[in-house]
Amino acid sequence: MNEREANNPGVIAKPLLIYLAFLLIGLVLGYVWPVGFSPENARYTAGSALIVIGVVIQTVALRQFKKAGTRHETDKPATALVTGGLFRYSRNPIYVSLTLIYAGIAILANNLWVLVLLIPLHTVMQYGVIRREERYLERKFGEEYGRYKVAVRRWI
């Protein structure tokens, strides 16, 4: 393992790209085999609300990374452990925000395929991203991360 590999989590792909890939697959499936699920009038309100909430959470979380002087990109070294703000409630508020935005798009598009794909999407995130990030943070921050991990849930 070279120094670059040792100082990042070695995730399988950038999380945003994983979410976008599953979204694209779901949208294509919905085009080929349309399966709707939500009434017209509720769909726009619910979908838009989830997207707005997701964007707000992501904006706040990214600002907390910047304030702590560390990077959020999974291919860059972490220089600080962010445990305040939204990170007091979730170890992964950015992934929560991506999930909310993804679900909001599924609802707006009235595409059940996109929602169903949340299950394999979260499986890929769990094994290909989150567990690798957690192992990296344990190596990098030791007991400090261990205490944080015990005190704060992974998602919400």
Side-chain angles (χ1 to χ4, degrees), residues 16-143:
L16 179 59
L17 294 179
I18 295 170
Y19 275 85
L20 289 174
F22 276 89
L23 179 63
L24 180 62
I25 292 166
L27 292 173
V28 168
L29 285 170
Y31 179 77
V32 175
W33 297 291
V35 182
F37 64 93
S38 68
E40 198 74 25
N41 55 352
R43 165 171 123 199
Y44 297 108
T45 304
S48 298
L50 287 176
I51 291 170
V52 168
I53 292 167
V55 168
V56 168
I57 289 171
Q58 188 158 128
T59 301
V60 170
L62 292 174
R63 285 183 181 163
Q64 289 170 326
F65 269 103
K66 186 174 183 174
K67 182 178 178 184
T70 192
R71 307 292 299 258
H72 70 278
E73 297 95 336
T74 54
D75 59 341
K76 305 279 194 262
T79 57
L81 186 60
V82 182
T83 59
L86 292 176
F87 292 87
R88 288 180 296 160
Y89 307 104
S90 170
R91 295 194 312 260
N92 296 301
I94 292 174
Y95 302 152
V96 170
S97 74
L98 289 172
T99 300
L100 291 171
I101 293 166
Y102 179 97
I105 293 169
I107 292 168
L108 281 175
N110 197 23
N111 186 324
L112 186 60
W113 290 106
V114 175
L115 279 182
V116 168
L117 286 175
L118 265 172
I119 296 165
L121 166 59
H122 278 183
T123 302
V124 169
M125 286 297 295
Q126 178 67 29
Y127 293 100
V129 176
I130 294 170
R131 287 199 177 174
R132 293 170 188 227
E133 287 178 335
E134 289 183 342
R135 282 194 302 268
Y136 168 70
L137 293 171
E138 285 170 351
R139 276 192 325 266
K140 181 99 180 186
F141 297 105
E143 286 183 31

